[in-house]
């Protein structure tokens, strides 16, 4: 059974940093591109960042470019999202997702999802 478990969320002041982790099990992690998405109440899930299977290719939403960094450790079956210079508009539930293909922006390209971790940025 595939499991993706996010951790590292919490409450932080504007300008602060958080590092999210997503531990994967039940799949061949290195065969999957990984993505981070976020969602706020009443809105659709929004693409944040994605990384290729080997970690050599990344993609970011314009809203987080230069502030967030996605990385992965295939030996640990874990993908990370380093979030710096956080803004109140970054407040959301953050989800990691696995895609048995190339990194993708569209949520419906992803095969497996975690349960999410709450990130709250206070002003």
């Amino acid at each position: 059974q595939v499991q993706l478990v996010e951790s590292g969320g919490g409450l932080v002041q504007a300008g602060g940093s958080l590092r999210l982790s997503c531990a994967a099990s039940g799949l061949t992690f290195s065969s999957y591109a990984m993505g981070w998405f976020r969602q706020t109440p009443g809105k659709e899930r929004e693409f944040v960042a994605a990384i290729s299977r080997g970690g050599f290719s990344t993609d970011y939403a314009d809203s987080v470019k230069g502030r967030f960094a996605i990385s992965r450790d295939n030996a640990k079956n874990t993908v990370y999202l380093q979030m710096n210079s956080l803004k109140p508009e970054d407040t959301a539930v953050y989800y990691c997702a696995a895609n048995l293909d190339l990194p993708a922006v569209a949520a419906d390209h992803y095969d497996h999802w975690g349960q999410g971790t709450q990130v709250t940025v206070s002003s």
Side-chain angles (χ1 to χ4, degrees):
Q1 182 181 356
V2 175
Q3 279 196 312
L4 301 177
V5 180
E6 301 95 338
S7 61
L11 174 64
V12 64
Q13 287 190 332
S17 297
L18 282 175
R19 188 195 196 202
L20 305 184
S21 300
C22 172
S25 61
L27 52 71
T28 304
F29 184 70
S30 59
S31 296
Y32 285 79
M34 299 297 294
W36 285 97
F37 289 76
R38 64 188 182 187
Q39 191 170 23
T40 53
K43 292 190 176 181
E44 290 190 357
R45 203 161 286 192
E46 174 191 24
F47 170 76
V48 175
I51 189 166
S52 61
R53 299 182 191 97
F56 300 109
S57 177
T58 58
D59 192 16
Y60 296 93
D62 287 343
S63 58
V64 307
K65 226 172 259 186
R67 300 188 298 122
F68 290 12
I70 188 171
S71 61
R72 66 189 295 162
D73 185 338
N74 285 350
K76 295 183 177 179
N77 288 1
T78 301
V79 62
Y80 305 96
L81 185 68
Q82 178 67 44
M83 305 186 296
N84 300 324
S85 302
L86 282 161
K87 305 175 181 179
E89 51 263 44
D90 294 319
T91 295
V93 177
Y94 282 72
Y95 299 89
C96 72
N99 173 16
L100 191 59
D101 202 342
L102 298 173
V105 172
D108 60 7
H109 284 199
Y110 287 80
D111 307 294
H112 306 288
W113 291 84
Q115 293 299 306
T117 185
Q118 176 71 46
V119 171
T120 303
V121 184
S122 64
S123 57

